[in-house]
Amino acid sequence: WGTLAAIDLNNGQLKWEVPLGFMMDPRKYSDAKKWGSINLGGAITTSGGLTFIAASMDGFFRAFNTDNGEVLWETMLPAGGQATPMTYEWKGKQYVVIAAGGHGKLGTKLGDYIVAFTLQ
């Protein structure tokens, strides 16, 4: 199912690939986190080596280590994050923002949120 992959743009080689999200309840299906999820939405990568993406059906917003694909952080959004996040700097702090509105045809939780996080 869905994956997040990094390509080395210098040589076109696959750098890493990891499952992205889950569709089945991991408490019931122990391997569910290894399968990935249907995904709608994009990723962004910061100059500090973080890749942020929601996109999956499980409702989580995640930060990955851009060098190796390790999940460094995740949090549940109030609604599905089928959107591409953005980042900006204000008063010396960097922020990551995502629209969490869900997707009716995917069956993710619907809502009307803009969620912002600060990077330290």
Side-chain angles (χ1 to χ4, degrees), residues 23-119:
M23 294 173 43
M24 311 293 271
D25 185 346
R27 295 170 295 186
K28 186 173 180 182
Y29 302 95
S30 60
D31 286 342
K33 290 187 177 185
K34 297 178 186 176
W35 302 334
S37 166
I38 295 170
N39 292 279
L40 288 175
I44 61 165
T45 299
T46 69
S47 63
L50 299 173
T51 297
F52 290 93
I53 189 166
S56 66
M57 293 180 64
D58 61 19
F60 284 95
F61 187 36
R62 295 177 173 89
F64 291 83
N65 180 321
T66 302
D67 289 330
N68 60 24
E70 175 188 5
V71 176
L72 300 174
W73 169 85
E74 65 182 12
T75 189
M76 180 65 72
L77 292 171
Q82 282 67 55
T84 301
M86 65 168 276
T87 185
Y88 64 93
E89 185 178 330
W90 187 62
K91 293 187 177 182
K93 285 189 177 183
Q94 185 175 4
Y95 296 83
V96 174
V97 179
I98 188 163
H103 193 286
K105 291 185 179 180
L106 267 187
T108 59
K109 185 176 178 184
L110 299 179
D112 191 14
Y113 302 90
I114 301 292
V115 185
F117 301 90
T118 185
L119 305 181

